[in-house]
């Protein structure tokens, strides 16, 4: 079933809610929505887990206000969904931009209700390079992306799909992927890209104590594999799970392995 949940500033955020059992809360990447995890829904529901897929504000079926695309607001929106659905002992699973939002959720609201953290191709701890951080895209490359979105968003999204996957995909799949991005607000897509470019979570990792799995594609061209290595170094109780044949979209590049690793992590005691 789907829920529309009113968050702090009157914005309505959509959450897909399927199955019963321990909740797994998925936070999607830029510029997609919760449908990007549709191939996980049946697997989880069949194995007695409850799939919760949030469409962040600006994306999918959620409202698309002018502002609120920083990680802090996104984390607060996730908290509003968690509170509304009265979720306890849940797994927080963030993909790409959803990764830093999941991390910010933990540092902002605490870990008491969170059983485990799953980071998938996460855009963390920093998405763009700094004077003292030389991993991943340069800020100017994000500025170029914003320029392309302003000029021809459908063309950019078609090209983005090529960067996203390592394995060959059908034209129909790529069209579907492009459509997910087109469901977002153009202004939302741009404002989130600014957050990706500017936000920095390096000071927030050492305090995360929940068992954490880091799924990352070795051939990721959007969030470099080195980001996953950096996260493993800095998050105390974490393990890095490399996907050697995957680009950024690991759940579509290695779907069977992804689902097996996902279930294995969900069922684990979480002790390293």
């Amino acid at each position: 079933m789907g829920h529309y949940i009113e968050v702090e500033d009157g914005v309505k955020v959509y959450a897909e809610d399927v199955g019963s059992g321990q909740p797994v809360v998925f936070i999607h990447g830029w510029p997609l929505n919760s449908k990007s995890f549709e191939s996980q829904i049946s697997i989880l529901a069949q194995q007695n887990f409850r799939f919760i897929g949030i469409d962040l504000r600006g994306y999918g079926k959620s409202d698309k206000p002018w502002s609120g695309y920083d990680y802090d607001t996104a984390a607060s929106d996730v908290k509003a969904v968690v509170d509304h659905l009265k979720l306890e002992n849940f797994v927080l699973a963030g993909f790409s931009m959803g990764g830093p939002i999941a991390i910010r959720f933990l540092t902002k609201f605490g870990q008491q209700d969170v059983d485990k953290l799953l980071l998938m191709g996460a855009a963390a701890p920093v998405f763009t390079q700094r004077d003292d951080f030389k991993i991943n895209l340069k800020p100017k490359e994000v500025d170029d992306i914003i320029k392309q979105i302003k000029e021809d968003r459908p063309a950019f999204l078609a090209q983005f799909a090529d960067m996203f996957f390592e394995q060959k995909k059908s034209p129909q799949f790529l069209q579907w992927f492009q459509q997910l991005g087109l469901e977002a607000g153009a202004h939302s897509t741009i404002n989130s890209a600014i957050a990706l470019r500017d936000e920095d979570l390096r000071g927030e990792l050492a305090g995360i104590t929940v068992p954490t799995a880091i799924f990352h594609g070795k051939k990721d061209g959007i969030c470099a594999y080195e980001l996953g290595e950096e996260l493993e170094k800095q998050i105390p109780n974490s393990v890095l799970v490399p996907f050697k044949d995957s680009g950024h979209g690991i759940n579509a590049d290695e779907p069977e392995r992804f689902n097996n690793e996902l279930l294995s992590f969900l069922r684990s005691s979480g002790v390293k």
Side-chain angles (χ1 to χ4, degrees):
M1 73 176 77
H3 306 273
Y4 283 95
I5 293 145
E6 193 167 315
V7 301
E8 272 173 30
D9 45 4
V11 171
K12 288 194 173 60
V13 167
Y14 177 79
E16 193 72 34
D17 183 356
V18 183
S20 58
Q22 185 181 27
V24 187
V25 178
F26 284 86
I27 309 172
H28 64 80
W30 178 93
L32 308 172
N33 57 56
S34 62
K35 287 181 195 160
S36 56
F37 302 113
E38 67 175 25
S39 53
Q40 278 60 64
I41 295 177
S42 299
I43 302 283
L44 292 179
Q46 284 162 2
Q47 301 294 327
N48 302 315
F49 289 99
R50 180 180 171 192
F51 172 93
I52 309 281
I54 299 173
D55 285 357
L56 295 168
R57 67 167 65 205
Y59 300 89
K61 296 181 184 176
S62 291
D63 285 350
K64 297 167 178 66
W66 177 244
S67 60
Y69 297 99
D70 55 288
Y71 294 165
D72 239 36
T73 307
S76 297
D77 290 351
V78 171
K79 179 76 162 79
V81 173
V82 164
D83 289 350
H84 181 86
L85 298 178
K86 298 182 168 61
L87 303 181
E88 293 174 343
N89 191 41
F90 59 92
V91 177
L92 195 53
F95 169 71
S96 194
M97 180 178 76
I101 292 167
I103 291 166
R104 178 60 55 80
F105 178 95
L106 294 177
T107 53
K108 191 174 167 72
F109 299 109
Q111 305 172 85
Q112 57 278 3
D113 291 321
V114 180
D115 182 42
K116 298 186 183 94
L117 173 66
L118 173 59
L119 300 171
M120 304 164 281
V126 195
F127 184 64
T128 55
Q129 295 183 21
R130 301 288 192 271
D131 289 342
D132 58 347
F133 190 84
K134 294 301 179 192
I135 299 170
N136 217 45
L137 303 186
K138 297 187 165 97
K140 187 190 175 304
E141 292 177 89
V142 179
D143 294 337
D144 290 344
I145 286 169
I146 290 170
K147 185 166 175 276
Q148 289 173 57
I149 292 166
K150 287 176 176 171
E151 284 170 3
D152 189 339
R153 189 163 70 111
F156 168 77
L157 288 168
Q159 178 199 330
F160 189 60
D162 279 344
M163 295 163 62
F164 215 86
F165 304 106
E166 180 67 22
Q167 304 302 322
K168 191 162 170 50
K169 294 280 164 273
S170 69
Q172 294 85 352
F173 180 92
L174 293 174
Q175 191 180 0
W176 168 79
F177 178 83
Q178 180 196 32
Q179 191 54 46
L180 294 186
L182 286 171
E183 286 173 28
H187 60 284
S188 315
T189 307
I190 290 166
N191 285 326
S192 291
I194 291 167
L196 277 163
R197 183 192 67 196
D198 294 349
E199 301 230 23
D200 184 343
L201 289 88
R202 283 179 292 175
E204 300 178 37
L205 303 175
I208 295 173
T209 54
V210 294
T212 301
I214 299 155
F215 290 8
H216 218 109
K218 296 281 303 224
K219 297 173 180 172
D220 194 328
I222 292 169
C223 292
Y225 183 71
E226 288 81 0
L227 290 176
E229 293 178 324
E230 195 64 28
L231 288 169
E232 186 189 32
K233 268 186 228 154
Q234 295 190 37
I235 297 175
N237 188 14
S238 67
V239 60
L240 176 60
V241 181
F243 286 76
K244 69 175 172 42
D245 297 320
S246 285
H248 193 48
I250 42 183
N251 64 332
D253 271 342
E254 294 182 72
E256 199 173 327
R257 168 129 193 269
F258 179 88
N259 287 331
N260 288 340
E261 292 287 358
L262 173 64
L263 287 172
S264 165
F265 176 60
L266 293 177
R267 290 178 180 139
S268 70
S269 64
V271 178
K272 204 170 171 182

